[in-house]
Amino acid sequence: RGNKMTTRTKHTKISENLRHGARNILLAGTILSPVMIAPSAAAQFSDEGGLDEIVVTAQRRAESVNDVPIAINALDGDGLEALGISDTDDIVEAFPNLGLNVRSGYNSGVSIRGVGTDNFHISAQQSVGTYIDDVSIVSPFVSTVGVYDVDRVEVLRGPQNTLYGRNTTGGAIVWHTKKATPGAGTNGFASATAGNGGLVELEGAVGFDLGENAAIRFAGSSDHFNGLWEDVITGDATGGGYDRNAARINFHYDISPNTSLNLGASYGDSEGQDTGYAYRGNLLADGSNDPTFRNAVAEDGVGLNNNFVRVTAAEVAANPYLSGPGASRVIVNPAPGPFNRLINFSTEEGQTFVDPDAGYEAEWKGIRGNLSHTFEDFADLTVLASYDNTSLFGINIADLIGFGVPQDGEWDVTQIETRLASNTSNALSWIVGAYYSTEDSKQDTWVRNGGAAGGKGVAPGIDIDSEYKNFSVYGQADYQISDALNFTAGIRYTDDKLEGEWARTVCGFAPSLNGIEDQTRDERANGCPGSQQLGPRTTQNPIQELSEIGWKVGLDYTLENDTLLYASASRGFKGGAYDNRPLATGELPIGPEFLTAYEVGFKSTLANNRLQLNGAVFMYDWEDLQLFDIIPDDGGGKIPALLNVPGTDLLGFELDAKFAITDNWYLQGAVGYVDTEVTDVNGLPAAANVAVGDEISNTPDLTANVLLNYTTDLAGGEISLTGSWRYASDYFYTFSQDTARDTAPSQNYINADATYSFGEDLQHSVRVFGNNLTEEFHCSGIQDGPAGGQNYSCRIGQYGEVKYGVNFRTNF
């Protein structure tokens, strides 16, 4: 483990990050980050001349964000548009101490303060819960088709087990869509965006009354993107492209002055390419290339970016671009296989590749029902019911090296929640509730290894039919000890049961005859017709049951100047999951994880409500972190593994602000810092890539955001100019933490846009934007090749190109 960072080296690196980050922040002019973003400075002011009040429902009741004694960030619909945020993955660009764990084009998850889930398999549940209209979203990719016509998004930091429950160890991201409103009349909007890379985004909504007590709203979106790279064969834009379509209908009926019913139905589909990869292979320690490794590389293909993509000699001969003068890639393959595909993209940072067969298709259908009733001078009753059907088929980019891991899944999820929240002005306020969900799923994962078994392809697969049931009851109470001091206590009891059947089949097939289409669940179950079943079909029926209690206690105190001080301790947990690795040697589900958090913070409003400052310091004790790892096997190769890391500590802070400098100038920003360290590895396999002192992967120590906006009247309308900057210090891609290859460099992103609004009520606007003006290029993770650390690839996290476009919008 000589390449591991020592504790002293680690803390020296932290100090350097603080110094460099502070210098960058000072150069930007402030140490401030987004809390709420609007397209113009004027829009930030209330009628009384101060900053607008932001109302959130983070604690299941409507409150001003500065009255909620937890660390929370929020963006309204205008703010989401201003930052170009169209799905959950984009939210990391808005706030500090947020990260993104990307495993493929269809599998990614957000981490908050370093707490997240980095797992390739679609069966894995995230440690940060995603909610749309208070309904838990089991599959994170649903958010890519569910985020449109949005009223606001709330980012809740730290365990949210008491009020949100399932899979909120690290926090929750809660999306609230716009609802039909009786009495609002006809209203809505239409928006169209066009940009480079074939970007086309269409979005719109219309709502109108249905009599005096009812209203309906229709909303939809359609997005298309080719990518920002150029295919050297066709000249087309490509790389990470997608097509997304979604539609939603919402109906609201006021049954009586105290009772209302809200019904909704949604549909969405998404298909696209997998993320791009930069392949770096055949590279020896002295910088030369190993001519004996898999593919020999021609003289004009040497360097850091040599790769091990399989390309036949016939393909080289038939395609002059592969061998002609100035060719960006020349590879001769002495052992051709079934996966001889190559698309080559040139960037200043090296060669990047996408397999044309690697991609995904997802579909989501859901219905919602929300019944609300007010018992006057007692409590508000909410009954929420939902049903979702989600399906996904995806192939990851690793097919380029003759080793692919397709996945196929379908989920049927039913959820019911009932809660009662007090509505009196007594010293004691409370909320109690019960939650039940059931999930029936089919999840298949299989491997195509075209170079195994003496030239005969091998396709092991795991097929899982499972049922997950969750029942919980919860309650939280606030007691006003005095006018200034408030005490909070909450508890949630949860009973989880995960049961089902999984079957493992290994087929051998002739690569020239069989492809991915012939390696389905049915083919494997029927004995691999047309190929050969290698060994018996094995079946297991594991069951995992979990009964746990999550809790929270806190105190908050309001000073005479309305500054809120708060302190809390809380504990949350996330249930286990099936280990559905086709190459797995283990047969039991991965165990649950637990997190205990301690936090102190403040929220203040100053300068006649023109300045708001918020800050928090936190300390986490994370037990049994769920980790996807690649470890050596007994045969000298590598196999995937699901592990529980016994102990990890996290310590950090956030400081954010927004400042209405004048009626024309508006500034906001934040800085966040988190120090992570593995403290216990007892019980892990000796070959695991985890050691005491390691940092959490994909977690920069220091992050910062700044946004500056100027708005003024112009030609009978209004012009709004906005610039933003985001910084992230370097971090490790994985727990291997080999500093020679596994460190992401620090990143600086600059975005800018200009919006001209016109019309009697400024209801029309034209906006031009440019994102990543510094053309930052980085990877979101790495993947070892067959030769281990000497040969690897990285998933592209940022294109290294400017993304620009124009938007037209009208409101009515």
Side-chain angles (χ1 to χ4, degrees), residues 17 39 56 69 75 140 177 242 345 356 429 448 465-466 540 564 601 685 784:
N17 282 334
V56 296
L75 283 169
T177 64
Y242 57 78
F345 308 96
S429 60
R448 294 189 297 162
D465 293 326
S466 64
Q540 297 288 333
L564 177 70
D784 281 336

Side-chain angles (χ1 to χ4, degrees), residues 12 15 25 68 113 183 218 287 303 336 346 350 411 444 463 491 502 517 567:
T12 299
S15 298
I25 293 168
V68 181
R113 296 173 170 174
F218 299 91
S346 298
W411 297 260
D444 303 344
D463 310 321
I491 190 170
W502 67 255
E517 300 82 5

